[in-house]
Amino acid sequence: MTQLDVDGTELRDVRIRPYGVTDADRLRRMSDRLSKRSLFTRFWSGSPYIPEYYVQAMDALDHWDREAMVALLDDEMIGIAEYARDAARPYRADLAALVADPWQRRGLGRILVSCLAPLAERRGITEFNADVILENQGAMRAILVCWPDVGSALVDGAARFSLPLPMPVPVPG
């Protein structure tokens, strides 16, 4: 059980678990809690909702080469983080996360990724790649919180991060 505070409300019942076969409708409904900006910075398109191709891709997870963890509150999805293994370089996987707007900047994405990373490691993945659109400063800051010594390269108008696994152990501050 993870506790977060959103707008003064304590969230005692946030559950983190793997994406399951009954989650497609929850994922679709998550669109209601996402701004156009959040959708754009995740999917790099102007879709007003989570694209159906993405929902179908999540339903096709094999839980080995492609895995996702979700955050649920009152049976509604408020966050998702996923990896997809690179077929040409099977030790690498692309990483992406999406957190509903009211829960952004509260550590939920970091929690999801920290639950996903050990699964990837056990499956032979030693590095995540993350491409972040330059205007998504929040995502870049979140990456640097988790991987403080990592740099990025500019590729096709995005910051490309190579994130080694295991995740660094945070230094108490």
Side-chain angles (χ1 to χ4, degrees):
M1 178 164 63
T2 304
Q3 291 190 11
L4 299 172
D5 183 82
V6 173
D7 299 329
T9 304
E10 189 174 296
L11 304 177
R12 293 177 236 188
D13 298 320
V14 174
R15 292 179 299 134
I16 308 293
R17 64 159 173 76
Y19 187 94
V21 296
T22 62
D23 283 333
D25 285 337
R26 285 182 189 92
L27 182 56
R28 286 183 189 99
R29 288 192 307 268
M30 189 174 149
S31 293
D32 297 338
R33 292 176 292 285
L34 293 163
S35 65
K36 289 179 184 177
R37 184 178 195 289
S38 292
L39 287 161
F40 179 77
T41 57
R42 169 58 185 90
F43 297 106
W44 301 18
S45 73
S47 175
Y49 50 85
I50 293 172
E52 190 59 28
Y53 74 82
Y54 181 73
V55 176
Q56 291 174 8
M58 291 298 97
D59 279 350
L61 292 175
D62 64 5
H63 300 286
W64 187 264
D65 291 329
R66 188 163 186 157
E67 180 66 276
M69 299 297 288
V70 298
L72 299 174
L73 177 65
D74 296 331
D75 205 39
E76 289 299 321
M77 194 175 297
I78 60 171
I80 183 169
E82 62 163 307
Y83 75 74
R85 189 186 303 263
D86 182 332
R89 295 170 291 183
Y91 60 92
R92 277 190 170 156
D94 289 326
L95 173 68
L98 181 62
V99 174
D101 285 27
W103 291 272
Q104 291 177 8
R105 293 173 300 284
R106 302 186 189 279
L108 184 56
R110 180 176 60 243
I111 292 166
L112 286 164
V113 171
S114 69
C115 291
L116 189 63
L119 295 174
E121 287 180 76
R122 286 196 296 269
R123 295 165 185 164
I125 295 169
T126 61
E127 181 178 292
F128 283 148
N129 284 338
D131 290 343
V132 181
I133 197 164
L134 296 178
E135 66 186 62
N136 194 348
Q137 294 294 309
M140 287 193 257
R141 280 191 300 274
I143 287 171
L144 293 174
V145 165
C146 294
W147 283 273
D149 297 327
V150 74
S152 65
L154 187 60
V155 179
D156 296 327
R160 175 164 291 164
F161 293 90
S162 294
L163 309 170
L165 295 176
M167 290 177 69
V169 176
V171 178

